[in-house]
Amino acid sequence: MLTKRGLVVALTGLLLGAPSVASAQEQPVDALPGTVSSSVNLKLQRDGLVSVTERINVPAGQQVERTMPLRQSAGPGADRVFAVSDAVLDGGGAIQVEADKVHLTLQPGVSTLTYSVRGAVADAGDRQDVRWQVSGGWNVPVDRVEVSMLSPKVPQEIMCLAGPLGSANRCAQFEITHTQSMHALTYGLQPGDRMDITFKVPAGTVPANAVTEQYFSLARAFSLTPATAVGLLAIGLLLIGGLGLVWYARGRDVRAFAEDVGQVEVLMTDSQGTVEFASPDGVLPGQIGTVIDERVDPVDVTATIIDLAVRNYLWIEELPGQDWRIVRLNPADDSLRPFERAVYDLLVGQAEEARLSELRDLDASQVRAALYAEVVEKEWFARRPDVDRNRFWWTGLGVIIGGAALTAVLALTTSVALLGIGVLIAGIAMMFSARLMPARTRRGSALVVQVRGLRGYLHEASAESLPSKDRETVFSRSLPYALVLEETDRWLAEFAELDLGVDGTPGLYWYGTQSETPNPQNFHQTFPALVETLNKKINR
């Protein structure tokens, strides 16, 4: 049956003059005169090779070159590799077979190319895919390519693509004929265009021989595959679960800092009617800061020094020129906690006294270690806050480094490098959540509530509400707590008019001056300077 394109060829021949018999036989039906065309016969052999016979027509006056690639893209970072054997070119021209390509040089006339292809058959579940680029790599337009295919078993499906590499343009015609053979046809391939044939046969029809080689590619390395999706989901669930546990454990603390708390009653009256100060859960001034902010600060040590003076272990004397002398009043005994003994030894040790102006930077590392151990012993924390935070931070850093190394290795060798990114992100999350660790115990959270009540008392208590004989004791015993809870200014102002004379003895019992005429009001001005000097002497 004559097609429309064949009619055009016939009319052109009539107008230009009828060709010779030989020329008519060489020019395929429907091919325009003066154009390159080819006819290809494929046969899938029972050993898995694909034998190819191609008849190529090159018009007079032209020399055509063609490069057939033996390495074709199979997705990001992967190539499908083919091998050509037994290549023979009959007719005018030359053939050169290399590892990754076959190069043809074709002279005018009809040439016949025969060769066998290994690597065209791939198993695909209950079928086998047979794939080959039957035409491509031309340096001139190819007007017409016709392909016929045979298979040992009845083919089940066929697909033909033609056009630029990577395009999804279909061939002009492709079908499984009524005789169970296959046929495909395309027109107008431009230089660089290709024609790809893929057909499917039942599984086990021939031995599979497809070869796929992997190589480094960012697109492949970081591609989202089912395996990486499952892995990332698992990492995400572990990360969410871990952060959820941290959030749950910190929930008590959040509520402890958020709920409304009234004043905590810290004054107790003994059997003789004397008012005394009693801290919540027996917490000492130096311990409060560690419980609240989970670290030992210089002010915690300073508050302990003031508390030791208030409890008659030390005596502080104000000297001219904003200097102070700290005198060892009573030796350290078993009533002192280990961190208080460490503060005592740090300040005076075996000496009778120490001048602040002569003291160099005080290394409070032993004090910190003792205080951290103290809050664990008191069951306010399950573990040392500093060690827990540092361990979590360094673990996170280690996970980040490991995740970066894993990402590099996976990117160079696999297509699941996103898993390494997931591990790296988990490490970053651990580092940033280190400051949330560790959680206080229930007892620790309860103490936070009580300490907030203590702060409320220091912020609102009135000196006038206390018996005059108890004011000095309450003022002095509460002062270290006011210092660590940042209520010093208010506490000093509230007791600014306090008569420091008791039984005719001027001044506080734990603090003195060298002035012949003591002015009790000076203490409210010099005490902040004493605190600032002590804080600067203590190494962070």
Side-chain angles (χ1 to χ4, degrees):
M1 180 178 183
L2 188 64
T3 65
K4 292 181 178 179
R5 187 181 178 92
L7 180 61
V8 172
V9 172
L11 291 176
T12 303
L14 291 174
L15 293 174
L16 297 179
S20 65
V21 174
S23 298
Q25 292 175 347
E26 290 175 358
Q27 187 73 22
V29 176
D30 284 356
L32 294 176
T35 61
V36 176
S37 60
S38 107
S39 176
V40 184
N41 293 317
L42 298 182
K43 184 177 182 180
L44 176 61
Q45 305 290 346
R46 294 189 178 277
D47 60 0
L49 295 182
V50 176
S51 60
V52 182
T53 301
E54 182 174 4
R55 188 167 176 269
I56 306 168
N57 181 76
V58 177
Q62 290 191 35
Q63 177 177 293
V64 174
E65 294 190 4
R66 176 187 177 190
T67 300
M68 301 164 53
L70 300 181
R71 182 180 291 269
Q72 301 172 17
S73 176
D79 279 345
R80 181 80 172 268
V81 180
F82 302 87
V84 165
S85 60
D86 303 327
V88 177
L89 178 65
D90 289 334
I95 182 171
Q96 183 178 3
V97 180
E98 301 179 9
D100 57 353
K101 64 182 179 181
V102 176
H103 186 75
L104 300 175
T105 301
L106 302 170
Q107 301 298 334
V110 176
S111 300
T112 301
L113 172 65
T114 60
Y115 59 91
S116 295
V117 179
R118 177 177 296 276
V121 183
D123 287 330
D126 60 348
R127 297 183 180 184
Q128 288 183 312
D129 290 341
V130 183
R131 168 189 170 188
W132 177 238
Q133 188 177 103
V134 295
S135 186
W138 300 93
N139 68 335
V140 297
V142 176
D143 181 63
R144 183 180 187 277
V145 178
E146 184 174 8
V147 184
S148 63
M149 293 154 278
L150 294 176
S151 168
K153 291 186 179 181
V154 176
Q156 298 176 334
E157 187 179 334
I158 183 173
M159 174 58 67
C160 179
L161 300 178
L165 289 172
S167 69
N169 301 329
R170 297 191 175 191
C171 300
Q173 178 185 341
F174 55 95
E175 61 181 349
I176 300 174
T177 68
H178 65 282
T179 61
Q180 305 304 320
S181 64
M182 293 165 283
H183 178 263
L185 178 66
T186 194
Y187 297 102
L189 292 181
Q190 298 301 312
D193 286 358
R194 95 303 186 203
M195 182 180 183
D196 283 331
I197 297 287
T198 300
F199 61 90
K200 299 180 182 295
V201 294
T205 298
V206 297
N209 53 20
V211 177
T212 301
E213 291 186 1
Q214 308 287 343
Y215 62 90
F216 175 72
S217 165
L218 286 177
R220 168 181 171 266
F222 294 95
S223 59
L224 184 60
T225 64
T228 55
V230 172
L232 288 175
L233 179 61
I235 293 173
L237 290 176
L238 288 174
L239 183 59
I240 292 172
L243 293 178
L245 290 175
V246 173
W247 175 84
Y248 175 78
R250 299 295 296 196
R252 289 193 308 271
D253 291 344
V254 173
R255 291 189 295 272
F257 281 102
E259 66 183 36
D260 293 333
V261 179
Q263 288 190 26
V264 171
E265 185 59 49
V266 295
L267 300 181
M268 301 183 64
T269 304
D270 61 16
S271 58
Q272 299 178 353
T274 302
V275 178
E276 295 182 350
F277 180 89
S279 63
D281 203 10
V283 66
L284 295 167
Q287 298 168 338
I288 284 182
T290 308
V291 172
I292 295 298
D293 62 15
E294 303 177 358
R295 63 175 182 268
V296 179
D297 298 315
V299 69
D300 301 330
V301 181
T302 298
T304 301
I305 294 172
I306 302 302
D307 192 48
L308 290 174
V310 170
R311 290 156 58 193
N312 289 319
Y313 287 97
L314 302 173
W315 186 67
I316 302 174
E317 182 182 28
E318 182 182 334
L319 302 177
Q322 280 205 340
D323 195 8
W324 289 266
R325 185 166 67 100
I326 299 179
V327 180
R328 184 160 64 97
L329 195 60
N330 288 303
D333 56 26
D334 293 340
S335 297
L336 295 183
R337 303 297 301 174
F339 82 92
E340 293 178 308
R341 184 181 292 272
V343 172
Y344 185 94
D345 293 340
L346 178 67
L347 203 59
V348 293
Q350 298 301 317
E352 291 297 325
E353 63 179 56
R355 285 198 177 194
L356 288 189
S357 60
E358 297 175 355
L359 292 176
R360 296 295 180 260
D361 290 345
L362 301 175
D363 182 6
S365 57
Q366 292 186 357
V367 178
R368 289 190 180 90
L371 256 175
Y372 285 131
E374 184 86 11
V375 296
V376 175
E377 181 183 342
K378 290 286 188 179
E379 297 182 353
W380 293 324
F381 287 94
R383 297 167 299 275
R384 283 182 51 160
D386 60 329
V387 173
D388 233 20
R389 282 196 305 269
N390 290 339
R391 183 185 296 119
F392 210 70
W393 192 91
W394 283 108
T395 301
L397 180 60
V399 173
I400 289 175
I401 295 173
L406 180 64
T407 300
V409 172
L410 293 178
L412 292 173
T413 58
T414 70
S415 61
V416 293
L418 284 177
L419 295 181
I421 296 294
V423 173
L424 191 148
I425 292 174
I428 294 175
M430 289 183 66
M431 285 189 66
F432 276 95
S433 61
R435 62 187 181 87
L436 300 176
M437 300 294 293
R440 299 172 185 84
T441 62
R442 292 185 181 275
R443 181 174 178 177
S445 297
L447 179 60
V448 169
V449 176
Q450 293 174 312
V451 168
R452 291 182 61 217
L454 171 58
R455 185 173 186 178
Y457 163 77
L458 295 171
H459 189 72
E460 298 177 8
S462 169
E464 296 297 327
S465 64
L466 301 172
S468 58
K469 65 183 181 63
D470 297 324
R471 290 175 186 175
E472 180 184 355
T473 300
V474 173
F475 170 76
S476 297
R477 290 289 286 119
S478 303
L479 184 59
Y481 293 91
L483 175 60
V484 80
L485 292 173
E486 300 180 347
E487 291 291 341
T488 307
D489 292 342
R490 192 269 166 186
W491 198 245
L492 291 175
E494 179 61 30
F495 288 85
E497 303 301 326
L498 176 64
D499 182 3
L500 297 178
V502 177
D503 296 332
T505 303
L508 295 169
Y509 65 90
W510 55 273
Y511 186 95
T513 68
Q514 293 184 341
S515 174
E516 295 181 358
T517 57
N519 182 1
Q521 305 304 318
N522 285 342
F523 175 79
H524 306 289
Q525 300 173 4
T526 58
F527 182 75
L530 168 63
V531 171
E532 182 179 358
T533 303
L534 284 171
N535 287 342
K536 289 181 179 179
K537 292 288 183 179
I538 299 166
N539 288 337
R540 291 185 175 274

